[in-house]
Amino acid sequence: MLSPIDYKSFLGRHDLYWPQPPKTWDESAFLGNGMLGAAVYGAEHKSHRQTLRFVMGREDVVARRPSAFAARVPVGEFELQFGSWIYGGTTMKLDLWNAQLNASVVTVKGSARLSAFLHSRKDVLLLELQTGDETASFRFVPYPEVSEALKVDDGRPNIDQYFPETAVQQEERDGVSFTRQRYNGSADGCTAALLCVPAGEGKVRYYATIQQGHDAAAAGRAERLLRDAAAEPAENFRQSHRSWWHDYYRRSFLSLPDTRLEGFYWAQLYKLGSATRPDSPTLDNQGPWMGPTPWPGTWFNMNVQVAYSPVYASNHLEEGESLCRALDRNLPNLIANVPEELRADSAGLGRSMSHDFSAPVGAETGNLLWACHNYYRQYRYSMDEELLRTRLYPLLRRAVGFHLHLLREGEDGRLHLPATISPEYGSFKQLAVEDCGYDLFLLRWGLCTLLNSARRLGLSEAEEPRWRETLEKLAENPADETGYLIGKGVRMDHGHRHYSHLLGVSPLHIVDVENPVLRERVRVSLRHWFGREGDLRGFTFSGAASIAAALGEGDEALSYLLSGLLLCKPNTFYREAGPVIESPLGMAEAVHDLLLQSHSGVVEVFPALPSGWADVSFQSLRAEGAFLVSAQRRAGKVQFIHIRSLAGEPLRVRCRLFGGGPVLLQDGGGRRELLPDPDGCFTVPLAKGEEAALFPAGTAGTAEIAVAPVEAQRGLCNFWGGNKPWRLYGIPFAEEAP
């Protein structure tokens, strides 16, 4: 019933564009394949103005430390050096549809053209270069040998970052150059390899890779990769790369009346596909684009959970598998993270760690439960019962079990938590509070989910009576006239960049905002939280946008979202003391929350549309229950909602913009009027594989439904990439497409 979308044309209006060469990480063009990453930019320093840098990262390259977790480390860069300074007139474009960088380079003495991509399925970077009347060379520079002038990125030196003692060995064999880096005299390290192949007509192709390890086996893997890639016809190699990306993009679609925000969203979808894959390491704070950072690992008090948040509604569950598989793989360490006497039935997760998830639980106790919520979303959006039964459910039992050991009955007959930490509030003081809202919300969610899962799986658990009793007696989240508190007796008296005290509203959705009393409490909490200002960060704004969207407050949600964009870099990256990947991805999830929400057994379409969004459309966004949902609004009126069931789950759908009356239902049985239930929802009977459409009452419906992009704001096309703030204010620029 759904007509195809011209993704190539649509994404072309959001290709990242640089009207001059980028010179910092903040403006870099970025390539990735879930393991390798390349940030491409030049340099401002006069000694390197002839250099275009491909700053590399590999997600599994770490160096072990004696007193902390194994740290991600910078590996170095491939440098494209021209014979003279790169000059004005140089432009670059990141072709999203093909995940390829194209550049026209103008130097003081000549020009060159290049294209580059990191192959979507092979750990190979291909750079194709045509130099014309300019000379150029391409070489790898290991991190210890990178010029000190280049290590200060945009005036930010590498502070509080771990650098291992590195031994570098270089060699060449049959046209392949190898650079091995060995860390601290151990087995840790990496190997870079580069192969140059003349391509005729003045072109040359460079095939490059970074492999984990510094031994002969790593060099052998690298050499085979490069020689196999070079032996394949270049067009076949290019097309096999592109086919993955074309399939990836076609899994969902959305279009907004704000072209700048729309372009930002699609850059995040590209970033997500570049940063993680089902078999890649967990998406950590850096992703594959390593930069100067004090956080060279995986943080689980928000970063990982938010980074994965857009995979579910965007219909990219395959990207979420890397987190689920890591939790499965590292279960022994999750068990070892709790005290020995609790390991029979418990597991936990500290704050920061390497990819092995070895991080003993301290006073911040709820992190594994939040990770389990991501895992549960993977289940609810897929309805993969085997995943629930054999993988998630046993882990969730242990995560809840750990907290059951902490509870103590008070004089009021309620079960209370001892002093624990609410992430990011009073962090430097290590402020611990009794009945911490963060942990209470997570424990309440975990208990409800265990009970629901046991019922779903048909399990008769001996622990069920205890779970039910605990849920009934569990202390309520502390609150006063300012809204939800950090914990017992601890009001939020200063700025709080985290929404840990509001986690029950979003993403857990266990606070019933349809209840007027609770709705007002959430509203007051949100105002009080932001009224303190303080240390507001990118993820603060993405979280606030999602919380406002849960209330149906679209205009307020959009104000948070647009404010958050101001904290992002021109290429949509984000950093604080160092790069962190989660905030822009959390903003993509907030866009989903404006258009589609699914929790508490209801799929809600357009739940929080901003008042100015008269035109908006989306196709194949995924909802809990494994439904693919498509909808379109034009001139302020909902034209249709189309739903396909992938699992045959019961479907209740609500769209308040329909006005509360009957709608026209079109399904396999024909067309008929459908009346709403008393709560305004529509019950739509759909078996697995069936689809149906809802139309406003009084319309005729149509056999074929076409989701069309919203008309673009021309001045805001290709906004991201290089810094172009003048486009926000109507200053004219060349009308031809970049």
Side-chain angles (χ1 to χ4, degrees):
M1 295 175 67
L2 291 170
S3 299
I5 292 167
D6 184 353
Y7 283 88
K8 180 179 180 180
S9 174
F10 172 78
L11 288 174
R13 73 194 200 186
H14 298 308
D15 290 341
L16 278 67
Y17 174 64
W18 292 261
Q20 59 178 347
K23 296 182 177 65
T24 68
W25 181 91
D26 294 357
E27 291 193 0
S28 61
F30 52 99
L31 306 169
N33 68 356
M35 181 64 80
L36 288 179
V40 185
Y41 53 108
E44 188 64 58
H45 197 277
K46 65 181 181 180
S47 65
H48 292 85
R49 287 181 183 158
Q50 79 280 12
T51 304
L52 194 60
R53 308 166 63 195
F54 289 70
V55 180
M56 303 300 293
R58 185 175 170 103
E59 295 191 19
D60 60 358
V61 172
V62 299
R64 279 166 287 185
R65 299 181 283 181
S67 59
F69 61 83
R72 287 278 306 275
V73 291
V75 299
E77 57 194 62
F78 291 99
E79 293 184 355
L80 178 59
Q81 294 192 346
F82 293 98
S84 55
W85 284 3
I86 298 172
Y87 193 56
T90 296
T91 60
M92 293 171 51
K93 182 174 74 171
L94 183 55
D95 176 350
L96 293 180
W97 175 240
N98 292 314
Q100 176 174 301
L101 174 65
N102 300 306
S104 174
V105 180
V106 178
T107 70
V108 171
K109 295 182 179 179
S111 63
R113 300 189 69 84
L114 65 88
S115 65
F117 61 86
L118 262 168
H119 196 280
S120 54
R121 308 176 202 205
K122 303 172 184 178
D123 290 340
V124 176
L125 169 71
L126 172 57
L127 168 67
E128 187 170 270
L129 179 67
Q130 186 163 22
T131 54
D133 51 0
E134 177 58 280
T135 59
S137 62
F138 195 54
R139 67 188 185 109
F140 182 73
V141 182
Y143 188 77
E145 297 176 11
V146 173
S147 167
E148 291 301 319
L150 299 180
K151 288 182 179 178
V152 180
D153 178 14
D154 194 24
R156 294 171 183 253
N158 290 288
I159 58 172
D160 300 326
Q161 186 166 6
Y162 174 71
F163 299 100
E165 188 174 311
T166 304
V168 177
Q169 179 183 353
Q170 295 180 321
E171 62 178 304
E172 185 169 335
R173 183 168 63 244
D174 297 329
V176 178
S177 61
F178 300 91
T179 303
R180 303 184 189 184
Q181 297 179 74
R182 185 180 186 183
Y183 303 141
N184 299 327
S186 70
D188 299 331
C190 65
T191 298
L194 178 64
L195 172 64
C196 176
V197 178
E201 299 180 353
K203 293 182 181 179
V204 63
R205 296 191 183 103
Y206 293 97
Y207 296 86
T209 190
I210 307 285
Q211 292 294 299
Q212 183 193 53
H214 59 78
D215 57 7
R221 289 195 307 273
E223 183 173 6
R224 286 191 297 274
L225 268 172
L226 300 191
R227 294 201 186 281
D228 288 349
E232 187 176 347
E235 186 59 25
N236 291 359
F237 190 72
R238 186 177 294 109
Q239 288 303 320
S240 65
H241 158 73
R242 292 177 175 180
S243 66
W244 185 93
W245 279 100
H246 297 172
D247 291 342
Y248 172 83
Y249 285 124
R250 290 187 181 111
R251 296 186 68 84
S252 62
F253 174 82
L254 66 78
S255 182
L256 310 175
D258 183 332
T259 302
R260 180 176 66 128
L261 181 57
E262 180 185 84
F264 181 88
Y265 173 85
W266 283 100
Q268 302 325 298
L269 263 289
Y270 166 76
K271 187 184 296 178
L272 190 65
S274 300
T276 189
R277 299 293 171 77
D279 55 353
S280 69
T282 309
L283 182 51
D284 63 13
N285 287 26
Q286 302 293 301
W289 304 288
M290 188 72 187
T293 182
W295 305 305
T298 305
W299 263 247
F300 263 99
N301 64 333
M302 177 277 299
N303 305 75
V304 170
Q305 293 92 330
V306 171
Y308 279 95
S309 64
V311 306
Y312 312 107
S314 68
N315 197 23
H316 287 293
L317 297 184
E318 71 282 1
E319 310 304 308
E321 264 295 313
S322 58
L323 173 58
C324 300
R325 293 179 185 181
L327 289 166
D328 298 342
R329 182 171 61 249
N330 292 310
L331 179 59
N333 285 342
L334 296 175
I335 295 172
N337 287 337
V338 302
E340 185 173 0
E341 64 271 17
L342 305 182
R343 291 173 186 170
D345 62 359
S346 301
L349 195 55
R351 174 181 290 192
S352 52
M353 66 215 70
S354 188
H355 294 302
D356 61 5
F357 292 3
S358 180
V361 180
E364 190 177 274
T365 61
N367 299 333
L368 180 56
L369 277 172
W370 193 357
C372 284
H373 180 259
N374 284 70
Y375 209 148
Y376 188 67
R377 293 187 75 184
Q378 188 84 7
Y379 159 67
R380 285 291 294 150
Y381 282 72
S382 67
M383 299 311 300
D384 181 347
E385 197 162 290
E386 187 64 17
L387 178 151
L388 176 64
R389 183 184 302 275
T390 63
R391 301 168 62 191
L392 170 58
Y393 183 76
L395 177 64
L396 182 59
R397 282 192 59 157
R398 284 184 167 274
V400 169
F402 173 67
H403 286 79
L404 296 182
H405 287 292
L406 303 180
L407 292 171
R408 296 293 181 268
E409 187 168 342
E411 294 179 359
D412 58 357
R414 310 285 286 188
L415 294 173
H416 298 270
L417 285 169
T420 59
I421 288 177
S422 185
E424 308 292 347
Y425 191 79
S427 289
F428 293 127
K429 295 195 301 182
Q430 289 292 295
L431 177 66
V433 295
E434 295 179 10
D435 285 342
C436 171
Y438 175 73
D439 292 311
L440 283 175
F441 274 137
L442 284 163
L443 179 54
R444 182 169 283 108
W445 170 82
L447 287 163
C448 290
T449 303
L450 272 182
L451 290 166
N452 291 336
S453 299
R455 183 169 58 251
R456 174 88 191 192
L457 296 171
L459 300 176
S460 178
E461 294 280 13
E463 287 289 293
E464 273 195 59
R466 185 186 182 193
W467 296 339
R468 293 187 187 280
E469 181 185 13
T470 302
L471 192 56
E472 291 169 2
K473 296 175 63 176
L474 188 63
E476 294 295 330
N477 280 68
D480 67 8
E481 67 275 9
T482 67
Y484 285 108
L485 304 182
I486 300 299
K488 181 181 178 181
V490 180
R491 177 187 292 184
M492 202 196 79
D493 286 330
H494 57 78
H496 183 22
R497 64 187 186 180
H498 205 301
Y499 47 99
S500 50
H501 64 306
L502 295 174
L503 212 65
V505 186
S506 180
L508 301 181
H509 293 287
I510 58 172
V511 176
D512 181 10
V513 296
E514 299 296 320
N515 178 312
V517 174
L518 294 179
R519 180 181 182 83
E520 178 62 14
R521 181 179 296 169
V522 173
R523 189 192 69 80
V524 169
S525 301
L526 187 55
R527 304 293 194 279
H528 179 74
W529 175 34
F530 259 75
R532 303 281 78 76
E533 293 190 307
D535 188 20
L536 302 181
R537 300 297 179 123
F539 61 84
T540 319
F541 287 97
S542 69
S546 291
I547 290 167
L551 294 173
E553 299 289 347
D555 288 340
E556 183 174 354
L558 182 61
S559 70
Y560 294 127
L561 192 49
L562 296 180
S563 298
L565 292 191
L566 298 177
L567 301 180
C568 294
K569 303 306 178 183
N571 61 357
T572 81
F573 277 4
Y574 172 80
R575 69 173 168 187
E576 296 167 12
V580 275
I581 199 172
E582 82 293 316
S583 289
L585 294 173
M587 293 173 197
E589 172 71 340
V591 171
H592 294 151
D593 289 337
L594 300 178
L595 307 183
L596 181 71
Q597 294 179 32
S598 56
H599 48 81
S600 308
V602 175
V603 174
E604 183 149 7
V605 179
F606 298 139
L609 273 193
S611 58
W613 285 15
D615 296 344
V616 62
S617 59
F618 64 85
Q619 180 169 302
S620 295
L621 293 186
R622 189 180 276 249
E624 286 192 4
F627 298 103
L628 296 183
V629 185
S630 306
Q632 184 159 280
R633 191 183 194 217
R634 287 289 181 266
K637 295 183 178 180
V638 178
Q639 294 186 323
F640 62 81
I641 296 171
H642 177 273
I643 302 175
R644 183 184 176 204
S645 174
L646 303 180
E649 288 294 299
L651 171 62
R652 301 186 75 232
V653 60
R654 177 166 56 205
C655 179
R656 300 175 202 263
L657 298 182
F658 272 144
V663 297
L664 175 67
L665 171 66
Q666 178 177 292
D667 58 14
R671 302 174 188 176
R672 61 188 184 278
E673 185 179 74
L674 184 64
L675 296 174
D677 299 332
D679 61 358
C681 296
F682 295 95
T683 299
V684 182
L686 280 183
K688 181 177 180 179
E690 291 185 342
E691 53 191 279
L694 302 177
F695 298 91
T699 57
T702 178
E704 187 167 301
I705 296 173
V707 173
V710 177
E711 184 177 352
Q713 299 163 283
R714 177 65 188 92
L716 297 179
C717 291
N718 311 111
F719 179 84
W720 301 97
N723 193 25
K724 301 181 279 287
W726 48 85
R727 291 198 183 183
L728 293 173
Y729 305 105
I731 296 175
F733 65 98
E735 285 298 317
E736 66 269 13

